[in-house]
Amino acid sequence: MAAAPSPADHPHNGLDAPDGPVQRTKVLLLGLRRAGKTSILEVLFNQLPPKQTFYLETTMRIVKHQVDTVIPLEIWDTPANVTAENLGAPLSEFSSIIFVIDIRDLYNQPISKLVEFILAANKAKGDIPIEVFVHKAEKLQEEDKIENYRQINDRVLDRLIDIDPDYEHLNISFHLTSVYDHSLHESFSKVLQKLVESLPFLEGLLNVFCANSQSPKAFLFDIRSRLYVATDASPVDSATHNLCCDYLQMLNSFGPLYKSITSGSSRQRPATQTPTPAASSGPSRSPSLHDSAAGSQSSDAPISPGPPKKHPKELFYPSAATTLHPVTPGTTLTYHLITRHLALLAVLPTSVYESRRGLLEYNIVFFREGIQEICDVEDEVRDGG
Amino acid sequence: MKKKVLLMGASGSGKTSMRSIIFSNNPASLTSRLGATIDVEQNHVRFLGDLILNLWDCGGQDAFMDSYLTSQRATIFQHVGVLIYVFDIESREAAKDLEYYRDCLEGLRQFSPNAAIFLLVHKMDLVRAGREVTFEKKRDELQECSPELSLSVFGTSIYDESLYKAWSNIVHTLIPNANILSTHLSTFAQACSATEVILFERTTFLVIATSSSSSSRPALSSTNGRTNNDARQSDNPANTLDPTRYERTSELIKAFKHSCSRVRGEFHSLEMELWDFTAVLDEMTKNTYVLIIVHDPSIETAALKLNIRMARRKFEELQGDSLISS
Ligand SMILES: Nc1nc2c(ncn2[C@@H]2O[C@H](COP(=O)(O)OP(=O)(O)OP(=O)(O)O)[C@@H](O)[C@H]2O)c(=O)[nH]1
Ligand SMILES: Nc1nc2c(ncn2[C@@H]2O[C@H](COP(=O)(O)OP(=O)(O)O)[C@@H](O)[C@H]2O)c(=O)[nH]1
Ligand SMILES: [Mg+2]
């Protein structure tokens, strides 16, 4: 099946999806009836308001969702009676298995099913990551939540060790999730990161960016799903992640709101105008800056430059910044579009943002070049395969 | 200047919920924790400059309603500036709701005949199909109850922007000379080469005035002759923008303000250079925020910010004037 270009808000940016079939990374979504599998997909990828998941109907057959994040995914939503045998594809084809358990469901059934799949997956291909979403976590008070989470965790591992002590070392991660808060986004981000082969390179560029821009935290977000694909080496604190996620959501909603039918998208034309006099204190997105960075970066790039890029260079990339009180010392959150799918969200001291805009813009250009190159290489591998 | 605002309607219809969302920056998801309001909860909200809203959130259980209409009648219904009456669209006692509503209108006629009346048909999100038709039916029913009044009826829900639309309209009637603000906003918009400029109240983020609204208000059409060198002004692209943009902007910013308050502070300002437009949202006066929308790609955010800084004093003055001259 052809990869449908995502219905992006900016069709003119020349970065259209490739025409041919692409190789999609397969993710299997498992769990009992009403565990919340379909809700998770709808909330993450179709912007369904969490409250509306109440009206979703039970999944009766396997549904394959093609989702275009930074990497093309194919997520299989399954009915509860699916087994490794009647799945219709060998487990080894999947790059990740997500198992959803209702946090109040401490009975044998879901755990047996989960263990059964873990064993089958291990037999098919040893290293498939198993992600257990202990779901609907918001339903319980803090104490019960931790207790049930721990119990589910222990029972699964006990059962596995009973079968074979070696299974202690299987690649299983547990996550507390709920469609009603950011835990779902944060957990699914971690699942996605394991699927992105170039992750170390992306992280490397983020680390360089943070060090050069005095940014305490930066995320590379997949714009539409608001999952982060990579972040710098400093620890992720949930509050900062949540704020960045909400900021991105606001910007995503703002974009189309003031789109004018008559004025067209004039951004695509080269900027020939001279800046307005009042703007002299500010930075400018001058094309020359772009070029100079392009020239200087290729030797440092983590991946050697491949054949000429198929993506024409943009003259304009959307950006945004928001400042929080107190204004001094103060925090600024910046947003910069990096590729068709990705945006850089960075936390900066407001003083740095205001006094060193030029340097920041320079670092962004450098960062963008690097990320685009990595993504081009990944895309090519998939197109060819 | 103080304005008394009565918030009435059956118990559970959503009065306290909307008050806490609009005036206390609470998210909709937390309203399910609210208990029934006992008797009247009074709040003073400093809205704009010297304008203080004196909100009376009147608990809607029958016993309270009966007492508002009898022993407390004068206290409740005198000096009212605005009555906001809330109807739960899913109410199982619609007939009783209407009866109380009629009785309240009677009380208002007696003590505050000049009060403005707004009716909110609330919890519209619960209507799964035929929202428009359901709303119109309810509106006609309400109009039948009070044929002599020209009613302002809004369909609302705390889960979307409709709440902001209704409340922006309500507060608009409370701001004397909001039209003068609009005129000055359009001048300011021209100075910025902006498509549109919108002024928000600072804490509620309700829309107070916009640069475009003067054209829809016939009384101000005379100011349109001032267009200088820009010929595009006559077919202003603002006319082609999404008609729900104001209330949706209020909702978006309020949601983001709430996100900020959970982390390291308070929202302060925002600037964007997106595919289709450039925008700056920043403090204008002590009580207001301004949003400038520009479609001309040659205008930079730094220029807009500078213009805001230069316009601040003028708008502080204006705001004072517009309230005093009432
Ligand atoms: N679905 C839906 N529920 C709403 C809406 N607005 C409020 N509610 C819910 O309605 C319930 C009652 O809301 P309140 O605000 O306490 O009602 P009230 O009118 O103040 O009631 P009294 O104080 O007893 O007069 C809460 O559980 C709210 O979450 C809405 O727009 N849609
Ligand atoms: N409280 C709560 N309910 C949820 C959550 N996720 C899903 N649900 C509800 O669980 C029910 C079953 O969801 P569904 O996605 O159809 O389950 P599936 O059969 O696994 O696909 C629905 O009524 C959802 O509203 C959650 O995080 N919290
Ligand atoms: Mg109440």
Side-chain angles (χ1 to χ4, degrees):
Chain A
M1 214 176 298
S6 58
D9 306 314
H10 40 82
H12 318 284
N13 61 350
L15 299 179
D16 284 318
D19 307 313
V22 291
Q23 199 182 321
R24 289 181 175 273
T25 299
K26 290 204 181 89
V27 176
L28 183 58
L29 194 54
L30 298 167
L32 294 193
R33 266 191 77 221
R34 313 292 293 161
K37 302 179 289 296
T38 311
S39 306
I40 288 172
L41 292 183
E42 291 292 326
V43 169
L44 283 179
F45 301 114
N46 282 336
Q47 272 68 28
L48 188 73
K51 271 191 72 151
Q52 302 286 331
T53 60
F54 181 78
Y55 302 102
L56 290 175
E57 282 170 21
T58 303
T59 310
M60 301 304 285
R61 53 181 186 85
I62 295 174
V63 184
K64 301 171 190 174
H65 296 271
Q66 310 217 323
V67 182
D68 286 302
T69 66
V70 58
I71 52 171
L73 297 176
E74 182 172 290
I75 306 178
W76 290 33
D77 188 8
T78 60
N81 60 8
V82 82
T83 62
E85 289 74 43
N86 67 12
L87 188 59
L91 280 178
S92 57
E93 277 190 14
F94 294 90
S95 304
S96 181
I97 297 178
I98 301 174
F99 196 97
V100 186
I101 295 186
D102 186 322
I103 189 161
R104 297 158 304 171
D105 208 347
L106 294 176
Y107 310 102
N108 248 338
Q109 208 193 355
I111 294 180
S112 303
K113 185 172 158 138
L114 169 57
V115 168
E116 187 186 303
F117 263 98
I118 294 175
L119 295 178
N122 185 51
K123 211 161 84 194
K125 187 171 88 177
D127 57 349
I128 306 180
I130 312 276
E131 313 281 352
V132 183
F133 280 18
V134 181
H135 192 56
K136 309 193 189 180
E138 100 289 345
K139 285 238 182 195
L140 297 182
Q141 299 291 326
E142 201 59 29
E143 244 172 62
D144 296 341
K145 192 193 296 186
I146 302 301
E147 176 57 24
N148 281 24
Y149 177 71
R150 207 184 46 77
Q151 274 204 35
I152 290 174
N153 201 322
D154 287 352
R155 284 191 194 190
V156 173
L157 295 182
D158 288 351
R159 288 274 286 278
L160 287 171
I161 293 169
D162 274 354
I163 297 167
D164 182 342
D166 272 356
Y167 287 161
E168 201 185 343
H169 307 293
L170 289 178
N171 187 357
I172 306 176
S173 318
F174 291 82
H175 310 261
L176 264 173
T177 58
S178 165
V179 293
Y180 286 99
D181 55 42
H182 294 85
S183 58
L184 180 61
H185 274 90
E186 212 179 335
S187 301
F188 209 99
S189 295
K190 289 175 187 153
V191 173
L192 180 63
Q193 283 159 36
K194 293 184 197 169
L195 304 176
V196 177
E197 277 173 29
S198 52
L199 183 66
F201 303 117
L202 303 179
E203 288 175 339
L205 283 170
L206 279 156
N207 286 332
V208 171
F209 172 80
C210 284
N212 290 345
S213 313
Q214 291 172 264
S215 164
K217 192 75 209 157
F219 294 96
L220 191 60
F221 268 95
D222 181 68
I223 296 166
R224 269 167 50 101
S225 64
R226 290 184 290 122
L227 300 169
Y228 71 95
V229 172
T231 183
D232 66 293
S234 70
V236 177
D237 108 81
S238 289
T240 306
H241 162 265
N242 298 352
L243 184 62
C244 288
C245 205
D246 289 344
Y247 181 38
L248 187 53
Q249 179 167 39
M250 176 179 72
L251 292 172
N252 283 349
S253 313
F254 243 113
L257 204 51
Y258 290 88
K259 196 183 170 108
S260 162
I261 306 160
T262 49
S263 71
S265 73
S266 31
R267 303 285 199 197
Q268 311 311 316
R269 276 181 255 122
T272 51
Q273 306 87 346
T274 46
T276 43
S280 55
S281 61
S284 59
R285 39 167 192 271
S286 101
S288 61
L289 184 60
H290 200 283
D291 294 341
S292 65
S296 66
Q297 64 83 38
S298 51
S299 56
D300 303 329
I303 291 177
S304 61
K309 297 191 188 71
K310 60 178 177 271
H311 294 158
K313 283 288 159 230
E314 298 286 322
L315 290 166
F316 173 77
Y317 287 93
S319 64
T322 185
T323 303
L324 306 188
H325 273 304
V327 178
T328 41
T331 304
T332 295
L333 294 180
T334 60
Y335 161 99
H336 287 91
L337 192 78
I338 301 298
T339 72
R340 180 164 61 102
H341 286 295
L342 298 175
L344 174 72
L345 273 84
V347 178
L348 286 170
T350 299
S351 54
V352 172
Y353 176 72
E354 278 173 358
S355 62
R356 318 192 62 182
R357 278 286 280 282
L359 178 70
L360 176 69
E361 304 277 329
Y362 177 85
N363 290 339
I364 298 277
V365 170
F366 178 84
F367 178 81
R368 183 181 286 128
E369 290 280 332
I371 300 286
Q372 287 184 345
E373 211 157 307
I374 295 170
C375 290
D376 282 350
V377 171
E378 281 237 337
D379 283 357
E380 253 152 50
V381 171
R382 282 181 192 270
D383 289 353
Chain B
M1 189 180 46
K2 242 185 197 175
K3 292 269 189 177
K4 175 171 167 184
V5 178
L6 276 188
L7 198 48
M8 302 187 89
S11 181
S13 57
K15 303 179 290 297
T16 310
S17 302
M18 56 176 82
R19 178 169 64 98
S20 77
I21 290 171
I22 299 278
F23 295 100
S24 310
N25 204 16
N26 284 332
S29 56
L30 289 186
T31 58
S32 53
R33 299 185 189 168
L34 292 170
T37 306
I38 304 303
D39 210 30
V40 181
E41 258 178 46
Q42 276 199 48
N43 273 57
H44 292 262
V45 185
R46 179 173 291 277
F47 190 73
L48 188 65
D50 296 328
L51 176 63
I52 293 174
L53 299 188
N54 185 8
L55 278 179
W56 292 42
D57 179 355
C58 305
Q61 294 173 50
D62 290 0
F64 300 135
M65 290 300 276
D66 293 338
S67 119
Y68 305 149
L69 291 163
T70 54
S71 58
Q72 290 180 275
R73 192 175 179 91
T75 329
I76 296 281
F77 291 106
Q78 66 193 356
H79 309 307
V80 176
V82 177
L83 167 69
I84 301 167
Y85 209 99
V86 184
F87 297 89
D88 178 348
I89 188 70
E90 297 275 86
S91 168
R92 276 183 239 123
E93 295 175 305
K96 191 178 82 184
D97 297 347
L98 282 183
E99 209 167 301
Y100 273 126
Y101 163 60
R102 270 200 214 97
D103 294 344
C104 288
L105 283 187
E106 195 45 52
L108 203 63
R109 203 164 3 234
Q110 191 181 347
F111 290 97
S112 304
N114 294 324
I117 300 172
F118 290 89
L119 308 184
L120 306 188
V121 178
H122 193 54
K123 305 196 186 180
M124 287 303 293
D125 60 288
L126 296 177
V127 180
R128 295 287 294 160
R131 230 166 250 188
E132 194 67 21
V133 179
T134 313
F135 171 71
E136 271 161 22
K137 210 173 120 225
K138 187 74 192 174
R139 189 186 56 197
D140 293 348
E141 190 181 300
L142 293 171
Q143 185 68 66
E144 253 167 56
C145 274
S146 34
E148 71 289 357
L149 298 172
S150 72
L151 294 175
S152 303
V153 192
F154 292 92
T156 53
S157 162
I158 56 171
Y159 294 105
D160 62 36
E161 74 278 4
S162 57
L163 191 65
Y164 291 95
K165 177 173 188 178
W167 278 86
S168 276
N169 271 279
I170 292 169
V171 299
H172 194 88
T173 62
L174 292 172
I175 301 167
N177 299 333
N179 288 349
I180 294 180
L181 281 176
S182 287
T183 313
H184 285 272
L185 286 177
S186 33
T187 311
F188 183 58
Q190 276 171 35
C192 295
S193 306
T195 309
E196 183 161 61
V197 174
I198 305 162
L199 196 67
F200 298 91
E201 195 278 329
R202 185 192 181 103
T203 46
T204 58
F205 256 90
L206 295 171
V207 176
I208 291 170
T210 71
S211 61
S212 314
S213 55
S214 55
S215 54
S216 60
R217 280 163 209 282
L220 281 165
S221 55
S222 59
T223 58
N224 283 354
R226 265 191 304 171
T227 28
N228 35 19
N229 47 16
D230 199 341
R232 282 188 314 166
Q233 197 65 23
S234 49
D235 55 332
N236 190 329
N239 301 331
T240 68
L241 296 180
D242 186 332
T244 65
R245 65 193 178 279
Y246 302 135
E247 51 267 25
R248 285 177 61 195
T249 303
S250 297
E251 192 199 14
L252 281 174
I253 303 292
K254 276 298 271 273
F256 186 62
K257 272 182 77 173
H258 182 254
S259 308
C260 292
S261 70
R262 285 188 307 193
V263 207
R264 56 188 99 218
E266 200 189 323
F267 170 76
H268 176 249
S269 66
L270 172 67
E271 56 185 87
M272 303 179 273
E273 295 190 352
L274 304 182
W275 287 111
D276 299 286
F277 62 92
T278 298
V280 170
L281 175 67
D282 204 348
E283 286 173 316
M284 183 59 125
T285 65
K286 278 200 301 294
N287 315 95
T288 58
Y289 260 80
V290 70
L291 175 65
I292 310 179
I293 302 285
V294 179
H295 285 88
D296 178 343
S298 66
I299 309 289
E300 306 227 6
T301 54
L304 299 177
K305 286 202 277 195
L306 188 70
N307 280 343
I308 293 176
R309 217 175 308 144
M310 294 193 303
R312 267 187 193 139
R313 175 122 56 87
K314 177 77 190 157
F315 274 85
E316 287 284 8
E317 277 167 24
L318 262 178
Q319 202 175 296
D321 289 351
S322 75
L323 289 169
I324 293 160
S325 61
S326 64

